[in-house]
Amino acid sequence: MDMSPKEYQNYVKQHAKKSPLLKDVAFAFVIGGAICVLGQLIQNGWASLGLGKEEAGTATSCTLVLASALLTGLNLYHKLARYGGAGTLVPITGFANAVVSPAIDFKSEGFVTGMAAKMFTVAGPVIVFGTLASVLFGLILQLFHLV
């Protein structure tokens, strides 16, 4: 069977299973919200232990990154993401997952050429463009004397 790329796309479109959009959105909302609620509970816990607001926020971020990395290593974050979809991309936990996953996938290629080189394949562009955007924003603020 010889098909052009356009014919193949039409064939795939006809035979692809339809995504239950409303269900996917609801699960993403619930799972993402649950991660945020968990983060708030963790922050309240740190604050109840005597940390100030800023220190509790920092400790919460560290706790969420550690939990996400641990769940990724145990292959549990992936299972959660199957149901929660975009809801598991809540910034800090999704970012930690994006760094840890490639590191685990490529560890068999060695420490430097595998894990260390591939660790930031997904997160690297986020870091680069986030840093670039913040520098440009800072320059604009300085240029217009807004800081």
Side-chain angles (χ1 to χ4, degrees):
M1 183 177 347
D2 197 22
M3 287 189 212
S4 71
K6 191 171 187 168
E7 290 171 328
Y8 178 72
Q9 288 298 324
N10 289 333
Y11 175 80
V12 168
K13 201 178 271 188
Q14 289 172 352
H15 291 85
K17 184 180 172 190
K18 299 290 182 198
S19 176
L21 185 62
L22 188 59
K23 180 182 143 202
D24 290 348
V25 169
F27 274 136
F29 179 78
V30 169
I31 299 295
I35 292 171
C36 292
V37 167
L38 177 65
Q40 187 62 54
L41 291 172
I42 291 169
Q43 183 173 6
N44 292 349
W46 284 117
S48 73
L49 292 174
L51 293 180
K53 185 174 182 168
E54 192 170 318
E55 290 81 12
T58 302
T60 301
S61 296
C62 293
T63 304
L64 287 171
V65 166
L66 176 66
S68 177
L70 185 63
L71 290 174
T72 299
L74 297 172
N75 200 29
L76 296 174
Y77 201 89
H78 173 71
K79 291 177 182 177
L80 179 67
R82 280 192 3 227
Y83 296 103
T88 58
L89 296 177
V90 173
I92 199 154
T93 56
F95 185 76
N97 175 262
V99 171
V100 174
S101 289
I104 292 170
D105 291 343
F106 292 99
K107 71 179 179 184
S108 63
E109 294 181 21
F111 184 74
V112 174
T113 58
M115 188 185 78
K118 304 289 185 177
M119 187 182 302
F120 293 104
T121 54
V122 175
V126 174
I127 295 169
V128 169
F129 290 112
T131 303
L132 180 63
S134 66
V135 168
L136 290 175
F137 185 66
L139 289 174
I140 290 168
L141 289 177
Q142 281 292 339
L143 187 65
F144 292 106
H145 306 289
L146 298 172
V147 198

